[in-house]
Amino acid sequence: MRILLAEDQSMVRGALAALLSIKGNYEITEAKDGDEALTLLKTQEFDLLLTDIEMPGRTGLELATWLKDQQSKIKVIILTTFGRSGYIKRALEAGVGGFLLKDAPTDELQHAIEQIMNGRRIIDPELAMMAIGEQDLLNDKERRALRLAADGKSTAEIASSLFIAEGTARNYLSEAINKLNASNRIDAARIAKQKGWL
């Protein structure tokens, strides 16, 4: 089984790759961030994407959404430290097969891989219940603008990164601030991140 492991923390990535190599008949390819993972997904064949959520470049959720848009048969498992309701809800919408916390036992990960490759979905019941709760208020354009604002980018830099006019970038940020009842863009980014919407 060919697994693409996308994780920006090199020690965690190395440990996971070593562990999976011992546990099963897996061929592991490592990606240090979301952008490298996307390049590999476009150029190589994989059966499974095992990815973190929060990474430089594209997030694990963006990778899962891209695969869904491509109607790819590659299965996706998200491994994360954060069990936030917004993340889980977006993962489910992106067709992710598994959503596991990084502190889960290693046997649980191997079991999840087997189950997901057989077409099942593995999500911790408590996490699934969390996902039913809150509604994500942001659309993708607002989310992307807010993520760049959280990185300290100016409105001009956000507009340039998203290939939109400065006024449009301002509108996206303003909408996000209003929806989240925040005092400014940094406050909006903080609230959205806390809820797992970024």
Side-chain angles (χ1 to χ4, degrees), residues 138-151:
L138 301 174
N139 65 39
D140 280 338
K141 292 170 182 175
E142 292 159 356
R143 192 183 334 280
R144 284 199 297 267
L146 208 53
R147 188 178 297 125
L148 290 166
D151 289 341

Side-chain angles (χ1 to χ4, degrees), residues 10-158:
S10 55
M11 195 179 288
V12 174
R13 188 176 66 246
L16 265 172
L19 190 76
L20 288 169
S21 299
I22 294 165
K23 287 275 184 184
N25 188 18
Y26 306 128
E27 183 186 309
I28 315 287
T29 302
E30 298 179 37
K32 68 180 182 306
D33 60 34
D35 289 341
E36 186 179 13
L38 183 62
T39 301
L40 289 165
L41 287 168
K42 287 178 177 176
T43 57
Q44 295 183 33
E45 300 231 343
F46 298 99
D47 302 301
L48 175 72
L49 168 64
L50 186 59
T51 180
D52 191 4
I53 288 185
E54 293 183 359
M55 296 182 289
R58 290 182 187 251
T59 66
L61 290 170
E62 287 171 328
L63 292 173
T65 302
W66 182 84
L67 286 171
K68 185 183 179 189
D69 292 345
Q70 301 301 307
Q71 298 179 324
S72 171
K73 296 204 179 335
I74 298 172
K75 307 283 188 189
V76 181
I77 297 178
I78 298 242
L79 271 181
T80 183
T81 317
F82 310 104
R84 296 174 181 154
S85 61
Y87 284 158
I88 301 154
K89 198 172 192 109
R90 284 168 54 212
L92 292 172
E93 286 166 1
V96 165
F99 194 100
L100 301 172
L101 293 172
K102 283 183 183 173
D103 61 3
T106 52
D107 289 346
E108 201 173 302
L109 173 60
Q110 192 179 13
H111 175 72
I113 290 172
E114 289 164 9
Q115 294 295 305
I116 287 154
M117 293 314 292
N118 286 323
R120 294 188 185 87
R121 188 175 256 181
I122 304 290
I123 292 167
D124 183 286
E126 277 184 51
L127 296 178
M129 287 306 290
M130 280 172 61
I132 295 166
E134 270 182 305
Q135 182 67 41
D136 184 349
L137 301 175
L138 301 174
N139 65 39
D140 280 338
K141 292 170 182 175
E142 292 159 356
R143 192 183 334 280
R144 284 199 297 267
L146 208 53
R147 188 178 297 125
L148 290 166
D151 289 341
K153 303 271 191 253
S154 68
T155 306
E157 289 170 321
I158 292 168

